[in-house]
């Protein structure tokens, strides 16, 4: 784990009272979250707690209905994926979001292709993609011109992550990046998560694996039924308390008010 | 990247491959051929079915009609027959790439031709006004279709089915019941009834081959120089050779005297052929080398991924339908030139079936995301050979319909099976 950064510094990304509805169903209830540069923030919560919805809201896929998004201390509006990308927020989605019929390079630059005049600058894109993959110590790809449909699950995950770090990003969000991976590949992703933070990125890491979470994270944010139960430095909690927060929304002095829990549970 | 650069720190165990072997592998034609075989095994048949179809059907019809099928006159007819099918199919390739369908493409070609013919006949406008009017009509219809599909979210199959019916009414209104508007204007008629002088034809052929060779070799050179993935030189040269041979053979056939009587001379490339070639080059370029083309493939492959990548999926859809219907207008003009007239039935009947068949036989998938503009040319040739050959055999109309419909079903079956195979391929 890296040297803890001052927690009172300005968070690079801050959510205040974020609400999100899908039709009549409210999925996020006044969620607060602070994400700091150089730190890994683990976002945990049971299935259906709203983790993926939360990060899709940040990314502009499902723009927020209420509350505020602050980037580097200033309020911002994110209404589409281009807005979040322009701020320097990159997301690796749980369902990866790669186009199977395109090759690795084409996927990594999708929506942000480099051009020379009206023509695609394939040479420079291929070079940059190759460099990024090499930096991530990706050794298993036969060719960067392989179609994504021919890749294994782990290789796809790597491409999705490489796509996110290719850009001059400040915040990298990874939604359950290790869920489908084997032991060796999980190791690589965890190392990468740590390396990203150590090079100054703010990283949000979603995972169900408590061992992984405690290994790489500096802070932990626990969602319970769409409410933020706790957003604290990892040193303030242990595994038992995190599991309690995930399953009941409360643990000792942490968590949502008992009244709110009762209301949600009812 | 700036200071946020990620540095490599993971130490790989000794002997691990350094990655990207295939990209810097030996310049082996054998490996490239094996790669191609793997691709076909994996379900991506590419141009193979269409090329096989062209060869088999040519041999078949030559065996059945040795005196007439392979004559310069009939082959010229065949290519002119293929032109409107191919032009319509070129536009449809883009629609199919999105995973959509345009059932109205045929009747759009009819409406556009009718607008053009009526302007020429009633207003006496000059040829370029008539052509421009047809293209704009096509573009507007396409943009409306694209808006209904992309913005409102009506399935393309329903929107274009409605237009298929409605636009036939429009053509009928323009031309009048039982009417026929003849095309006498020399430039538009000339698309299929005038021929490039033989010397000019050979110059055009040489330009096409040299241009293709220069582009291919230059791309190979740049890729090699910068250490990028590239095909072996042998394969690049083989591709150029194939294009050169095909171009020379076709030019030679079209340059032979095909007049039935010795008293007159009839030779040269019909102007519609260079039109097809130029549009093939331009649209191939658009599909493969521009951001728009890349986004079309992305939307067809995974529209949610495209959306998350910040691509305006609605805009892509609207533009694609606009492009497709504009190509339908070009097709309608060539078809009108070929028949020297426009009727209320123009663009109806089997026009659409032929064009969709052409794209699918050429290798464009009905499921979106896979296809090329050249598929329209290869598939258009297959369809034209079938139509032409059955014509020479004088089979009954009913058999003609059944056979052509059967061929489309066969192509769609191959497409569906290839897709299943690709899905089942080991990861
Ligand atoms: N697009 C959507 N439309 C309607 N409901 C949704 C949508 N996406 C997610 N939900 C609902 O929101 C809740 C939270 O889902 P999600 O964010 O995927 O949870 P998690 O990622 O924490 O497992 C679930 O009840 C889910 O059914
Ligand atoms: Mg999730």
């Amino acid at each position: 784990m890296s040297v803890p950064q001052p927690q009172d510094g300005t968070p690079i990304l801050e959510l205040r009272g974020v609400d999100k509805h899908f039709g009549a169903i409210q999925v996020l209830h006044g969620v607060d979250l602070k994400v700091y540069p150089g730190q890994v923030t683990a976002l945990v919560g049971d299935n259906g707690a709203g983790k993926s919805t939360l990060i899709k809201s940040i990314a502009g896929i499902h723009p927020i209905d209420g509350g505020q998004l602050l980037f580097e201390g200033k309020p911002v509006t994110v209404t589409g994926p281009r807005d979040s990308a322009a701020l320097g927020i990159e997301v690796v989605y749980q369902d990866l979001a790669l186009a199977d019929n395109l090759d690795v390079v084409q996927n990594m630059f999708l929506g942000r292709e480099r051009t020379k005049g009206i023509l695609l600058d394939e040479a420079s894109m291929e070079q940059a993609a190759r460099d990024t993959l090499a930096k991530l110590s990706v050794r298993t790809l036969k060719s960067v011109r392989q179609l994504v449909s021919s890749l294994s699950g782990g290789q796809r995950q790597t491409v999705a992550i490489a796509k996110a770090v290719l850009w001059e990003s400040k915040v990298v969000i990874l939604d359950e990046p290790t869920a489908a991976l084997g032991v060796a590949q999980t190791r690589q992703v965890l190392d990468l998560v740590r390396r990203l933070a150590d090079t100054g990125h703010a990283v949000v890491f979603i995972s169900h694996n408590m061992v992984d979470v405690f290994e790489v994270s500096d802070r932990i944010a626990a969602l319970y039924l769409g409410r933020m139960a706790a957003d604290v430095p990892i040193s303030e909690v242990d595994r038992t308390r995190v599991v309690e927060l995930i399953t009941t929304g409360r643990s000792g002095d942490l968590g949502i008010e008992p009244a709110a829990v009762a209301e949600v549970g009812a | 990247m700036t200071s946020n650069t990620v540095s490599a720190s993971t130490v790989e165990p000794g002997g691990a491959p350094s990655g990207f072997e295939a990209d810097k592998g030996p310049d082996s034609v054998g490996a490239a051929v094996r790669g191609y075989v793997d691709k076909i095994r994996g379900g991506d048949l590419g141009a193979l079915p269409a090329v096989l179809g062209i060869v088999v059907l040519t041999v078949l019809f030559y065996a059945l009609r040795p005196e007439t099928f392979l004559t310069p006159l009939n082959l010229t007819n065949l290519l002119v027959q293929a032109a409107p099918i191919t032009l319509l199919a070129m536009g449809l390739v883009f629609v199919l790439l999105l995973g959509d369908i345009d059932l109205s493409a045929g009747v759009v070609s009819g409406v556009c031709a009718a607008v053009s013919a009526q302007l020429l006949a009633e207003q006496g406008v000059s040829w370029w006004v008539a052509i421009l009017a047809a293209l704009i009509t096509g573009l507007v219809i396409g943009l409306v279709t694209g808006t209904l599909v992309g913005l409102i979210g009506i399935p393309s199959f329903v929107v274009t089915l409605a237009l298929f019916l409605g636009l036939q009414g429009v053509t009928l209104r323009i031309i009048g019941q039982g009417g026929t508007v003849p095309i006498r204007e020399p430039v538009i008629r000339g698309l299929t009834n005038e021929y490039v002088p033989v010397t000019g034809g050979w110059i055009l052929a040489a330009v096409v081959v040299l241009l293709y060779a220069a582009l291919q070799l230059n791309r190979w050179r740049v890729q090699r120089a910068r250490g990028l993935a590239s095909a072996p030189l042998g394969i690049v040269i083989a591709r150029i050779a194939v294009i050169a041979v095909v171009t020379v053979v076709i030019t030679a056939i079209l340059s032979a005297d095909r007049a039935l009587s010795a008293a007159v001379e009839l030779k040269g490339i019909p102007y519609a052929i260079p039109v097809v070639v130029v549009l093939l080059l331009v649209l191939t370029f658009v599909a493969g080398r521009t951001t728009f083309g890349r986004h079309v493939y992305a939307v067809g492959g995974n529209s949610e991924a495209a959306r998350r990548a910040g691509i305006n999926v609605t805009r892509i859809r609207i533009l694609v339908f606009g492009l497709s219907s504009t190509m339908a207008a070009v097709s309608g003009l060539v078809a009108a030139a070929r028949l020297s007239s426009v009727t209320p039935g123009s663009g109806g009947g089997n026009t659409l079936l032929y064009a969709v068949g052409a794209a699918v036989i050429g290798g464009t998938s009905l499921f979106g995301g896979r296809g090329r503009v050249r598929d329209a040319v290869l598939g258009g040739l297959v369809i034209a050979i079938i139509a032409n050959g059955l014509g020479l055999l004088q089979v009954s109309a009913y058999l003609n319909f059944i056979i052509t419909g059967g061929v489309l079903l066969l192509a769609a079956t191959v497409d569906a099976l290839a897709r299943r195979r690709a899905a089942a391929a080991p990861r």
Side-chain angles (χ1 to χ4, degrees), chain A residues 28 31 43-46 49-51 54 221-229:
Chain A
L28 298 178
V31 171
L43 181 58
V44 298
D46 229 337
K51 306 180 295 294
L54 183 64
L223 264 185
Y224 177 73
L225 296 176
R227 287 158 214 267
M228 192 56 79

Side-chain angles (χ1 to χ4, degrees), chain A residues 22 25 27 45-54 62 94 175-176 208 223:
Chain A
F22 288 114
I25 301 162
V27 177
D46 229 337
N47 284 324
K51 306 180 295 294
S52 296
T53 305
L54 183 64
H62 299 315
Q94 189 169 10
D175 194 353
E176 302 200 26
H208 288 294
L223 264 185

Side-chain angles (χ1 to χ4, degrees), chain B residues 152-173:
Chain B
I152 315 275
I154 313 171
S156 58
F157 143 81
V158 175
V159 173
T160 58
L161 187 61
L163 285 177
F164 170 75
L165 215 69
L167 289 175
Q168 291 186 61
V170 174
T171 309
L172 189 59
R173 173 71 183 76

Side-chain angles (χ1 to χ4, degrees), chain B residues 36 40 45-60 361-362 378-379 381-382 385 414:
Chain B
Y36 180 70
I40 289 177
L45 300 179
L48 195 63
V51 171
L52 276 181
I54 290 172
V55 171
V56 169
L57 289 167
T58 303
V59 170
L60 178 73
I361 291 167
L378 293 173
L381 280 174
V382 173
I385 291 174
V414 170

Side-chain angles (χ1 to χ4, degrees), chain A residues 118-119, chain B residues 90 94 211 215 274-290 292-293 323 327 373:
Chain A
I118 58 163
L119 292 187
Chain B
M90 280 181 184
F94 284 84
L211 190 72
L215 285 174
V275 169
V276 171
V277 172
V278 167
L279 284 168
L280 168 68
L281 294 178
V282 170
L283 292 179
T284 299
F285 214 68
V286 168
R289 303 286 186 89
T290 67
F292 168 74
L323 171 69
M327 286 303 294
V373 180

Side-chain angles (χ1 to χ4, degrees), chain B residues 89-305:
Chain B
M90 280 181 184
L92 280 171
V93 164
F94 284 84
V95 174
L96 294 177
L97 276 176
L98 289 181
D100 283 320
I101 184 76
D102 186 354
L103 299 176
S104 68
V107 297
V108 170
S109 79
V111 171
C112 298
V115 166
S116 196
Q118 205 60 306
L119 279 176
L120 287 168
E122 305 271 310
Q123 316 287 328
V125 300
S126 46
W127 60 270
W128 62 269
V129 175
I131 290 180
L132 201 63
L135 297 181
I136 291 174
T137 307
L139 179 64
V140 170
I141 295 175
L143 294 180
V144 170
T145 312
T147 306
L148 291 173
V149 176
L151 203 61
I152 315 275
I154 313 171
S156 58
F157 143 81
V158 175
V159 173
T160 58
L161 187 61
L163 285 177
F164 170 75
L165 215 69
L167 289 175
Q168 291 186 61
V170 174
T171 309
L172 189 59
R173 173 71 183 76
I174 294 175
I175 307 279
Q177 185 76 49
T180 298
V181 182
I183 304 262
R184 299 208 180 80
E185 201 291 316
V187 175
I188 294 178
R189 257 182 66 90
L191 278 172
T192 56
N193 302 300
E194 297 282 342
Y195 313 106
V196 183
V198 170
T199 333
W202 281 110
I203 293 175
L204 275 181
V207 167
V208 166
V209 172
L210 290 177
L211 190 72
Y212 180 78
L215 285 174
Q216 289 283 322
L217 288 173
N218 186 51
R219 179 151 78 141
W220 183 84
R221 196 183 53 77
V222 169
Q223 287 172 334
R224 269 303 136 106
R226 297 184 59 168
L228 306 173
S230 60
L233 186 57
I235 298 287
V236 175
I237 290 176
R239 267 191 221 138
I240 295 172
V242 169
I243 294 291
V245 168
V246 169
T247 311
V248 167
V249 167
I250 290 180
T251 311
I253 291 170
L254 294 174
S255 299
D257 186 3
R258 53 181 175 265
L260 290 175
S261 97
V264 285
E265 239 193 7
L266 184 61
K267 56 188 181 184
I269 303 173
Y271 279 98
I273 306 298
V275 169
V276 171
V277 172
V278 167
L279 284 168
L280 168 68
L281 294 178
V282 170
L283 292 179
T284 299
F285 214 68
V286 168
R289 303 286 186 89
T290 67
T291 311
F292 168 74
R294 178 64 40 84
H295 292 179
V296 171
Y297 280 91
V299 171
N302 185 342
S303 69
E304 182 56 23

Side-chain angles (χ1 to χ4, degrees), chain B residues 369-403:
Chain B
R370 185 162 52 79
R372 294 165 161 225
V373 180
R374 66 140 200 242
D375 297 350
V377 176
L378 293 173
L381 280 174
V382 173
I383 294 278
I385 291 174
I386 294 173
N388 178 286
L390 293 180
L392 291 182
L393 294 179
Q394 292 175 322
V395 300
S396 326
Y398 82 90
L399 250 183
N400 202 331
F401 278 121
I402 292 176
I403 292 175

